[in-house]
Amino acid sequence: MKKRVFALTMAAVMGLSMTAFADGEVANKDKPLVWFNRQPSNSSTGELDMAALSFNEKTYYVGFDANQGAELQGTMVKDYIEAHADSIDRNGDGVIGYVLAIGDIGHNDSIARTRGVRKALGTGVDKDGDINSDPVGTNTDGSAGAVQDGSLEINGTTYVVRELASQEMKNSAGATWDAATAGNAIGTWSSSFGDQIDVVVSNNDGMGMSMFNAWSKDNGVPTFGYDANSDAVAAIGEGYGGTISQHADVQAYLTLRVLRNALDGVDIDTGIGTADDAGNVLSEDVYVYKEEDRSYYALNVAVTADNYQDFTDSTKVYEPVSAQLDESAHPSKKVWLDIYNAADNFLSATYQPLLQNYDDILNLDVEYIGGDGQTESNITNRLGNPGQYDAFAINMVKTDNAASYTSLLSQ
Ligand code: BGC
């Protein structure tokens, strides 16, 4: 008798709680939300948009440690120059000249990379307490104000290091990080001062590979990018100087994992710093969590001729977090996710394929929306019915525009 009453009570309790959490019962403003790849922030000052980052208790950002990665990229370029001192100065004028492709002058990650390279090569100048990250246009005579000539002493010889040119690679329609624009820029630069260019540096591999294929490969000029996309890693065998892995395999996992945890109502650290029921867990050397930013940051690794064989497939899931979750304990949920620009090399060739691998593992039914890279409304127009989804993953066109999304979820 007692047993029966208990069973009935349990059923009633479960019935109640199931109604309370059934699809459509949770207000959109209370659903899990993750920002990724573009951290809500002021594009002029870099200040984090904490209103967006703490939109509700289940809101997080997933990206990577921009400063650690930028420093690695700068050091990788400097180390290469030092190791190739006898051949690097192609025209023997004592000046090691480099050109720099800038992704988006209002994107924290792009700014950090420009600063990292200038810092390592001694070409940075101070602006408001930090290294100036403005593009210089053309600076073949070394007179630009946004940079200075650096110097490197290698084996007893002192070289001048000069940023010969840099430019934001934005196309006429407004898309940033634009690979085709970078390919055109290297064409223009090389035809007017090609013999002075000893090194090519880019804020990412999409632009870096475009410049490598258009010019530097044939001219034997080392080219450095960022992202460790599979094509760029393969090109290291053909003279591409190196790239940085931002551990997209860890980021894509974290992007969906924080949603899974919030949907399951479990501790947010589950399957992250603490092993989940399938054994998935990340070690501290691949990510950090900053509670005050509500942000997870993956750590970066330099990929050069020494280790590139280990990075040939950028879409492979990270083994320590590749175990399938049990569907009865972690039932399928619907997620709306957008990629700000369907044509972005990194996001389309590396990040999205990884997300698609992890969504199965985590039992998430994700609808992928690809934007045009220029207008936020092209994406927000496709979030007409947020009530259909259990959670949201957002990649903005402009880091200032978080409210365009949160306002849709607040209605
Ligand atoms: C990547 C770039 C990409 C950008 C998009 C960056 O983290 O390195 O390749 O274009 O994200 O926001």
Side-chain angles (χ1 to χ4, degrees):
M1 176 66 188
K2 258 197 188 152
K3 249 191 193 157
R4 195 154 164 258
V5 172
F6 177 73
L8 283 175
T9 318
M10 277 314 285
V13 170
M14 280 174 69
L16 270 182
S17 65
M18 278 175 77
T19 332
F21 291 103
D23 290 355
E25 292 289 320
V26 180
N28 294 324
K29 67 173 182 31
D30 298 324
K31 290 177 179 171
L33 165 62
V34 63
W35 308 98
F36 69 96
N37 175 261
R38 297 185 155 216
Q39 191 171 26
S41 51
N42 181 310
S43 61
S44 318
T45 64
E47 193 192 335
L48 298 187
D49 175 352
M50 285 315 297
L53 288 163
S54 46
F55 174 63
N56 63 28
E57 283 175 1
K58 301 171 200 153
T59 302
Y60 297 92
Y61 168 73
V62 173
F64 62 96
D65 187 330
N67 293 328
Q68 179 251 351
E71 193 165 327
L72 267 185
Q73 192 191 27
T75 310
M76 170 176 72
V77 176
K78 181 168 177 258
D79 287 350
Y80 184 98
I81 293 173
E82 286 173 350
H84 296 82
D86 10 328
S87 56
I88 195 89
D89 181 13
R90 298 194 311 135
N91 64 358
D93 64 352
V95 179
I96 298 172
Y98 71 93
V99 294
L100 174 68
I102 294 176
D104 175 347
I105 53 169
H107 187 302
N108 281 350
D109 301 342
S110 187
I111 292 169
R113 293 172 198 174
T114 297
R115 287 184 175 145
V117 166
R118 289 180 179 169
K119 184 174 170 203
L121 300 182
T123 52
V125 295
D126 183 82
K127 183 184 175 188
D128 306 328
D130 219 327
I131 292 177
N132 191 331
S133 60
D134 295 341
V136 297
T138 307
N139 178 42
T140 44
D141 62 358
S143 65
V147 291
Q148 63 181 5
D149 279 351
S151 77
L152 276 181
E153 206 197 298
I154 316 167
N155 305 334
T157 309
T158 304
Y159 294 89
V160 169
V161 184
R162 179 170 299 160
E163 184 167 308
L164 299 168
S166 54
Q167 174 187 317
E168 182 188 39
M169 300 302 173
K170 187 171 179 170
N171 72 13
S172 53
T176 51
W177 303 88
D178 190 59
T181 304
N184 292 337
I186 195 71
T188 309
W189 291 336
S190 61
S191 62
S192 58
F193 52 88
D195 65 329
Q196 295 178 59
I197 306 174
D198 302 313
V199 178
V200 174
V201 188
S202 171
N203 283 173
N204 81 352
D205 282 336
M207 300 183 294
M209 281 298 288
S210 179
M211 297 194 287
F212 184 68
N213 289 328
W215 182 74
S216 26
K217 182 177 174 187
D218 289 345
N219 290 276
V221 176
T223 299
F224 297 85
Y226 203 109
D227 290 340
N229 291 336
S230 298
D231 63 337
V233 172
I236 294 177
E238 299 169 0
Y240 195 70
T243 180
I244 302 291
S245 160
Q246 52 169 286
H247 251 309
D249 51 357
V250 170
Q251 287 181 70
Y253 172 72
L254 284 168
T255 303
L256 297 180
R257 184 73 214 203
V258 293
L259 297 182
R260 179 76 257 176
N261 289 347
L263 289 164
D264 287 348
V266 298
D267 191 299
I268 201 65
D269 197 44
T270 309
I272 300 178
T274 314
D276 67 10
D277 46 12
N280 295 308
V281 67
L282 292 173
S283 50
E284 276 174 12
D285 55 341
V286 293
Y287 81 103
V288 286
Y289 175 56
K290 282 215 183 109
E291 185 148 20
E292 65 276 22
D293 302 356
R294 294 196 66 79
S295 297
Y296 286 88
Y297 302 106
L299 297 175
N300 304 264
V301 187
V303 182
T304 65
D306 297 335
N307 63 348
Y308 76 100
Q309 302 288 4
D310 301 337
F311 292 83
T312 48
D313 182 0
S314 66
T315 67
K316 208 171 106 219
V317 296
Y318 188 56
E319 209 274 328
V321 289
S322 57
Q324 178 68 44
L325 295 194
D326 174 5
E327 181 133 20
S328 56
H330 310 275
S332 177
K333 295 282 177 182
K334 285 203 76 163
V335 176
W336 184 93
L337 181 151
D338 82 279
I339 300 285
Y340 90 100
N341 182 359
D344 183 279
N345 299 72
F346 168 63
L347 293 169
S348 64
T350 296
Y351 212 102
Q352 185 168 340
L354 282 164
L355 289 167
Q356 284 169 323
N357 289 333
Y358 287 117
D359 65 12
D360 296 327
I361 291 174
L362 298 173
N363 302 327
L364 295 173
D365 175 12
V366 181
E367 184 164 328
Y368 293 91
I369 305 288
D372 65 6
Q374 297 150 31
T375 41
E376 219 75 60
S377 59
N378 175 283
I379 302 167
T380 51
N381 283 345
R382 289 184 276 167
L383 184 50
N385 189 359
Q388 278 183 296
Y389 304 93
D390 301 304
F392 307 94
I394 298 174
N395 178 218
M396 292 174 284
V397 174
K398 271 217 114 11
T399 60
D400 313 87
N401 286 346
S404 316
Y405 297 83
T406 51
S407 62
L408 293 175
L409 302 180
S410 303
Q411 284 164 13

